[in-house]
Amino acid sequence: MIGFEKAYCEYRLNRVEHALKTIQGIPEQTDKLKELYGQVLYRLERYDECLAVYKDMIRNSQDDYEEERKTNLSAVLAAQSTWESTSDLGLPESSYELCYNAACFLIGQGQLSQGMQKLQKAEELCRKSLAEDSDVTEEDVDAELAIIHSQMAYVMQLQGRTEDALQLYNQVIKLKPSDVGLLAVTANNIITINKDQNVFDSKKKVKLTSAEGVEHKLATKQLQAIEINKALLAMYTNQADQCNKMLASLQTQNPGHPRPVLIKVAQLCREKQHNKAIELLQVLCPPDTFISAICGISTPKALLESNSPWHSHVTKACDILKSIEEIKYKPGMLSALVTMYTHEEDIDSAIDVFTQAIQYYQSEQPGSAIHLSLVREAANCKLKYGRKKEATSDLEQLWKQNTNDVHTLAQLISAYSLVDQDKAKALSKHLPSPDTMSFNVDVDELENSHGATYIRKKAAKVVGESQPKEPGPEDVKKKKKKKKGKLPKNYDPKSTPDPERWLPMRERSYYRGKKKGKRKEQVGRGTQGATSGASAELDASKSASSPPTSPRPGSGTGTATATSNAVPPRQQKPAAAGATRKKAPQKKKKGGKGGW
């Protein structure tokens, strides 16, 4: 009895490993101890052992708790079907708990429609069972139905009905249920719907995934998915440091999991560090060629630009993708390979991809829809790039499958017209006559339909015979008079105009350039206001007849004559250029000593 109490306390304190050791150390296994043992195994996610314990208890016990044990057994089956493969035990659905677990089992097996029906049935059973209790309020009913509604929203999300799922998820969040595990899962699913949109809402919801006690309510894979989504949210919100810390923790906890590596690669690609991204994949995941191929395609802007340094990596990515036998001939893989090869202008490799795929489906699924669609796409690719001779065999194969296909026959004749005209003429006999090809189409309605580029105007109906009216003064349109251009004032009609008048002056043949230095001699070099002419007259050295200004010895009149006839330089006036020409006013020199 003491051993059971100790194990139960350890279980309630979330010391599950210690509780397991305590239970295994007790020699006598009672029913109460087996119940606790089953609960401990369920928390440790050891589902096969837990199923064996509950089956043994249901088989060997006879009391009033059989339905509770079946409920626990169905919960184990539901959890196991989500993460592993298991088989249904055909348990009854007498209560809403059993019905809910049966729905979860079907959802885990991928049967979404049947799972939704079971969830709706569980909701009805829950409302009926709670309606019998008069003390239960409507809020209590909604709180009890929260887990069912959250699972319904999950099914809607898997079915692509994201708007309906998001609305139902938010209703569960508004109820604020006491189950922190339910809140964490619901908030995580909302974040996955938001992705890189509505980031502000995701930041608020992510707090619910980190509530206290969540790690004891959820399975390991659920916690792992939440942490991965947190890292993705940090990447989308450009929190590189936080994202790298989360990824490092995830890689430590799950060294073989590829998703942390892929998120790290995506983060490096966002930072334009493509070399490090590829090196990371080559170091951490050398055996996983599919992840390496994802690295080659995960940076389409860097890889598919012809001027990019990563241009040569497209071919490497194609080689890696072609080496994966499991998905080598999938339609999506074939489309990706052909797109990348045609972008590289390697048409031979693109056609070779079609050829190998057609041969594969010819042997595995001859005449199937995917086989014929590949033949048609191969023919279209060959026609597009001028390989009409190679396209004829594919088109003939398609036409033999359906001889009434006029479109394929027209393509075949067009291809043969440039390769074998006799064959084209022979095939043209199989074309239907123009009468059989005509369709009952209302041309007027077609032309007047929405989107028609040309609409034919209908002629107005003439009622009776009406004579044409004589044009009156109002009907005659006034002709606009052309205005004559203005001629220059000095225009002479007798003289021939200059043929180079349309050219700029510098480009004309008679242009000699500006005459520089014409008035250079007139600029005075002496005192202010003196001209070159005046300075020349005042230069005594240039005048041979000028008397000496200095007095001779013994002459007293010489000095008087010189001083009375000579004019000081500042009192001299320059010679007038002409009687009618006015001198332009001269500006005052800035900073000069003295005036003009």
Side-chain angles (χ1 to χ4, degrees):
M1 195 66 185
I2 295 175
F4 169 78
E5 295 294 339
K6 179 186 177 183
Y8 183 74
C9 290
E10 290 172 337
Y11 171 76
R12 292 300 301 271
L13 291 171
N14 297 314
R15 302 173 186 173
V16 188
E17 295 285 350
H18 295 83
L20 180 63
K21 291 181 180 179
T22 303
I23 293 172
Q24 291 174 345
I26 299 174
E28 185 179 357
Q29 298 290 324
T30 60
D31 290 343
K32 293 173 62 175
L33 198 62
K34 288 181 180 180
E35 294 276 2
L36 182 60
Y37 185 45
Q39 293 286 344
V40 169
L41 291 174
Y42 179 79
R43 287 281 299 277
L44 292 173
E45 301 176 25
R46 297 164 62 172
Y47 299 122
D48 291 331
E49 299 177 35
C50 186
L51 281 174
V53 170
Y54 280 118
K55 286 179 182 178
D56 179 67
M57 291 179 64
I58 292 172
R59 190 183 302 114
N60 298 322
S61 61
Q62 296 178 355
D63 52 21
D64 298 335
Y65 299 103
E66 183 178 359
E67 186 171 353
E68 283 79 359
R69 295 190 183 100
K70 289 181 178 179
T71 302
N72 291 342
L73 180 62
S74 65
V76 176
L77 287 172
Q80 191 175 23
S81 68
T82 304
W83 316 116
E84 305 171 6
S85 59
T86 185
S87 57
D88 189 9
L89 297 179
L91 295 173
E93 300 173 6
S94 55
S95 64
Y96 75 89
E97 292 95 343
L98 283 166
C99 192
Y100 170 78
N101 290 332
C104 293
F105 176 85
L106 292 172
I107 295 168
Q109 297 294 320
Q111 303 176 23
L112 301 180
S113 301
Q114 296 88 333
M116 178 62 82
Q117 293 175 2
K118 294 285 185 183
L119 288 173
Q120 292 172 351
K121 181 180 177 181
E123 183 180 4
E124 293 177 3
L125 291 174
C126 181
R127 291 185 182 277
K128 287 181 181 179
S129 62
L130 295 177
E132 297 173 358
D133 191 351
S134 59
D135 296 333
V136 177
T137 62
E138 189 66 26
E139 294 178 356
D140 296 335
V141 175
D142 292 337
E144 192 70 21
L145 290 173
I147 189 170
I148 299 177
H149 289 163
S150 181
Q151 196 71 5
M152 284 181 175
Y154 174 66
V155 175
M156 294 176 184
Q157 183 179 355
L158 294 179
Q159 291 176 338
R161 299 159 55 189
T162 53
E163 294 184 0
D164 297 336
L166 192 60
Q167 183 178 1
L168 200 52
Y169 280 140
N170 287 321
Q171 289 179 5
V172 174
I173 294 291
K174 288 179 181 178
L175 291 174
K176 297 180 180 180
S178 57
D179 189 353
V180 292
L182 174 61
L183 276 174
V185 171
T186 305
N188 173 76
N189 293 352
I190 292 175
I191 293 171
T192 59
I193 292 178
N194 291 337
K195 294 183 179 178
D196 57 343
Q197 305 296 324
N198 201 2
V199 179
F200 181 73
D201 179 65
S202 297
K203 281 189 173 182
K204 292 194 298 183
K205 296 296 188 296
V206 79
K207 295 178 181 178
L208 298 175
T209 63
S210 304
E212 185 180 358
V214 171
E215 66 275 8
H216 305 303
K217 293 289 184 178
L218 301 180
T220 304
K221 292 188 177 180
Q222 287 177 316
L223 295 171
Q224 186 183 81
I226 290 174
E227 292 300 317
I228 288 174
N229 289 330
K230 285 181 181 179
L232 283 171
L233 181 61
M235 184 187 72
Y236 285 137
T237 53
N238 298 320
Q239 296 175 324
D241 295 337
Q242 185 177 356
C243 178
N244 291 330
K245 289 179 182 179
M246 292 180 180
L247 293 176
S249 175
L250 284 169
Q251 288 178 1
T252 304
Q253 296 172 5
N254 309 281
H257 203 288
R259 286 191 179 180
V261 181
L262 290 177
I263 298 173
K264 179 67 175 178
V265 169
Q267 178 64 34
L268 290 172
C269 291
R270 288 170 69 91
E271 297 172 1
K272 307 298 183 183
Q273 300 182 24
H274 303 100
N275 273 329
K276 290 185 179 180
I278 291 182
E279 289 175 3
L280 177 64
L281 286 173
Q282 291 175 346
V283 171
L284 296 181
C285 305
D288 200 342
T289 55
F290 180 69
I291 299 177
S292 300
I294 289 175
C295 176
I297 307 173
S298 63
T299 54
K301 291 183 180 179
L303 291 174
L304 297 181
E305 291 177 359
S306 58
N307 296 327
S308 172
W310 294 90
H311 183 56
S312 59
H313 287 228
V314 179
T315 306
K316 294 181 181 179
C318 291
D319 294 338
I320 295 173
L321 291 175
K322 288 170 66 176
S323 65
I324 308 169
E325 295 295 334
E326 293 80 5
I327 57 174
K328 185 176 180 180
Y329 298 112
K330 295 290 184 181
M333 185 60 63
L334 295 172
S335 175
L337 287 171
V338 171
T339 301
M340 288 191 286
Y341 274 131
T342 52
H343 188 275
E344 291 287 288
E345 298 181 359
D346 190 357
I347 310 303
D348 293 333
S349 298
I351 293 175
D352 186 57
V353 170
F354 276 122
T355 304
Q356 293 180 9
I358 290 171
Q359 290 175 356
Y360 172 79
Y361 284 102
Q362 180 70 35
S363 59
E364 298 293 332
Q365 303 176 18
S368 62
I370 186 172
H371 175 219
L372 297 178
S373 65
L374 282 174
V375 175
R376 182 171 297 280
E377 290 299 326
N380 292 335
C381 180
K382 293 172 183 177
L383 290 174
K384 180 180 179 181
Y385 293 101
R387 309 289 182 89
K388 295 192 175 183
K389 187 175 182 179
E390 301 175 16
T392 52
S393 59
D394 296 331
L395 292 171
E396 280 186 348
Q397 184 179 356
L398 287 173
W399 184 59
K400 288 178 182 178
Q401 291 286 337
N402 184 12
T403 55
N404 296 325
D405 190 355
V406 182
H407 177 70
T408 304
L409 180 59
Q411 282 185 315
L412 183 59
I413 294 171
S414 175
Y416 268 122
S417 63
L418 297 177
V419 179
D420 190 351
Q421 295 184 358
D422 296 334
K423 186 72 174 179
K425 290 180 181 179
L427 288 172
S428 61
K429 297 178 181 179
H430 297 281
L431 287 171
S433 61
D435 296 335
T436 58
M437 292 179 66
S438 62
F439 301 99
N440 297 325
V441 178
D442 189 350
V443 179
D444 296 333
E445 183 180 357
L446 185 62
E447 288 183 346
N448 294 325
S449 63
H450 178 69
T453 57
Y454 170 75
I455 299 176
R456 183 175 59 187
K457 294 182 179 180
K458 296 181 179 180
K461 295 182 179 180
V462 180
V463 180
E465 295 181 357
S466 59
Q467 296 179 355
K469 297 181 179 180
E470 294 181 359
E474 298 178 356
D475 299 331
V476 178
K477 294 183 179 179
K478 296 181 180 179
K479 294 183 179 180
K480 294 183 179 180
K481 295 180 180 180
K482 293 184 179 180
K483 294 182 179 180
K484 295 182 180 180
K486 293 183 178 180
L487 298 174
K489 296 180 180 180
N490 57 351
Y491 172 70
D492 186 5
K494 295 180 180 181
S495 63
T496 56
D498 185 8
E500 298 182 3
R501 64 187 182 276
W502 308 115
L503 297 175
M505 182 61 71
R506 290 180 176 273
E507 298 179 9
R508 298 182 189 180
S509 60
Y510 51 82
Y511 179 69
R512 295 292 180 268
K514 293 182 178 181
K515 295 181 180 181
K516 299 180 180 179
K518 183 178 179 182
R519 304 176 65 182
K520 189 174 181 181
E521 297 178 355
Q522 299 178 5
V523 179
R525 295 187 180 181
T527 56
Q528 295 180 354
T531 59
S532 60
S535 61
E537 293 175 1
L538 295 174
D539 192 356
S541 62
K542 294 183 180 180
S543 177
S545 59
S546 59
T549 56
S550 60
R552 295 180 179 179
S555 172
T557 61
T559 304
T561 306
T563 53
S564 62
N565 294 331
V567 182
R570 289 187 179 274
Q571 296 180 10
Q572 295 176 3
K573 294 183 180 180
T580 59
R581 185 173 179 182
K582 294 182 180 180
K583 184 178 180 180
Q586 297 180 353
K587 295 181 180 179
K588 185 175 181 181
K589 188 174 181 181
K590 292 183 180 180
K593 296 179 182 180
W596 289 101

